[in-house]
Amino acid sequence: MPHADKPYQLHDQVGFRMRQANQRHLTIFARYIPHLTPMQFAALSKLDELGAVSQNDLGRQTAMDAATMKGVIDRLARKGFVATEADPSDQRRLLVRLTEAGKDIYAAAVPPARAITEETLGPLTAREQARFLQLLAKLAL
Amino acid sequence: MPHADKPYQLHDQVGFRMRQANQRHLTIFARYIPHLTPMQFAALSKLDELGAVSQNDLGRQTAMDAATMKGVIDRLARKGFVATEADPSDQRRLLVRLTEAGKDIYAAAVPPARAITEETLGPLTAREQARFLQLLAKLAL
DNA sequence: ATCTTTTCATTCGTATGCAAACGATTTTCC
DNA sequence: GGAAAATCGTTTGCATACGAATGAAAAGAT
C-alpha cells in the first residue's frame, strides 16, 4: 500500500512562507526608510564599507545581477548619492563611489535600518532570532 | 559610557539573508519547473484547490497585489491555463478558473514542486526544517 | 605575440511587486 | 431609497529581478 500522499498545501511550502515573511519585512522597511529602496540602501551600505568599487563587483557584494545593479546605480546617481568614473587601470570597469550627500544619507539611514531589523524579528524571542539567522545562513546562496 | 556600537553589517541583517535564501530557492524552482514562474504556480495551486474565484480573491489567497495578480492571470490566460468569465451575481467581479490544460499542467507540476521544497530545505536537518518553517510562520504577514 | 577565454558594462525582453488614481458597481447606513 | 463608503478590476509609473545577447577590453594559454 502506498503511503497516504500528503496533500500539497501552498501555504506550508518554504517558498511561499519566505515570500510572505519577506513581504512583511519590505513593508516595515518602507515605513522606516521611505526615500530609499532596500536595494539602494544595500548598495550605499557596501559602498560605505568598501569605498570605490566596480559596478559588477558591487553587484556581487550585494547579491545583485549586473543588469539589476546598473538600474540601482543609475537611480542613485540621478539622486546624487553616488558618482561614477572610468577605472584608469581597466577601461571596462566603471568605478562607483559615494558622494558627500550619499555618505550623509547613508549615515542617517543606519539607525532606522537597525530598527527595521529589530521590528522584523520582533515576533521572535531573542533565542529564536539567533536561531532564525543561523538557519537563514545555511540556506543562503 | 555608551555601549560599543556594533558595526552595521549588511550581511548579518535579516532582510539581506532572507533575500539570499529566497534567491537560492527561486533558482531551484526555475530548474525544476522552467515553464512556470513561482507566482503562476501559486495561482494554479490555489485555483486547483478553490475552483472558481474572483481575481482579487485569488490575489488575497496567494498574497499578491491586485495589479500583480492581473498580470499573472493575463499571462496564464494567454497560455491557455486559466479562463475568465464575468460573475453573474456581481458585475465587478471577474471569475477565474482552471482550464483542462491548466489542471494537467498543475498536476504535472506538483511532484517537482515537492522536490523544490525538499531541495530548498536540503541544507537543514529534519528538525531544523520544522523549526525554520515554524519561525517563518511567526514572521509571515 | 596571437588566439582563446573571461570579464565588464549595457541592452532587451519578460515577470514580478506595489502605490496611487480611476470608473463602475455593491454595500452600508441612516 | 438615496447618499456615503467600500470593493472590484484596471491602468500608470517606478523599481527590482534575471536570462540572453552584444561589443569592448583584459587575461590566459601556447
Side-chain angles (χ1 to χ4, degrees), chain B residues 50-71:
Chain B
L50 303 172
V53 256
S54 79
Q55 201 171 268
N56 271 12
D57 208 5
L58 186 58
R60 271 176 235 114
Q61 298 287 330
T62 53
M64 278 186 240
D65 178 83
T68 303
M69 186 83 271
K70 179 186 169 38

Side-chain angles (χ1 to χ4, degrees), chain A residues 90-109:
Chain A
D90 188 336
Q91 292 301 308
R92 298 169 304 176
R93 285 201 172 98
L94 187 68
L95 284 181
V96 186
R97 69 174 75 247
L98 289 181
T99 61
E100 287 307 313
K103 286 177 191 169
D104 292 347
I105 277 287
Y106 176 67

Side-chain angles (χ1 to χ4, degrees), chain A residues 96-131:
Chain A
V96 186
R97 69 174 75 247
L98 289 181
T99 61
E100 287 307 313
K103 286 177 191 169
D104 292 347
I105 277 287
Y106 176 67
V110 170
R114 291 185 197 272
I116 290 166
T117 291
E118 198 181 332
E119 184 168 333
T120 296
L121 291 172
L124 305 183
T125 67
R127 182 187 293 271
E128 287 173 329
Q129 295 186 10
R131 206 183 297 276

Side-chain angles (χ1 to χ4, degrees), chain A residues 18-85:
Chain A
M18 282 201 295
R19 184 163 161 275
Q20 285 204 278
N22 203 46
Q23 271 184 339
R24 176 170 161 275
H25 167 70
L26 295 178
T27 301
I28 294 169
F29 190 103
R31 202 167 67 242
Y32 278 94
I33 309 183
H35 54 292
L36 289 175
T37 67
M39 296 303 107
Q40 289 170 2
F41 176 80
L44 294 182
S45 181
K46 272 298 164 190
L47 285 173
D48 184 78
E49 180 187 337
L50 303 172
V53 257
S54 79
Q55 202 171 265
N56 269 14
D57 210 3
L58 186 57
R60 270 177 236 114
Q61 297 288 330
T62 53
M64 278 186 241
D65 177 84
T68 303
M69 186 82 271
K70 179 186 168 38
V72 172
I73 291 303
D74 282 353
R75 285 181 284 274
L76 284 175
R78 185 150 38 84
K79 292 186 190 180
F81 297 152
V82 303
T84 60
E85 54 184 307

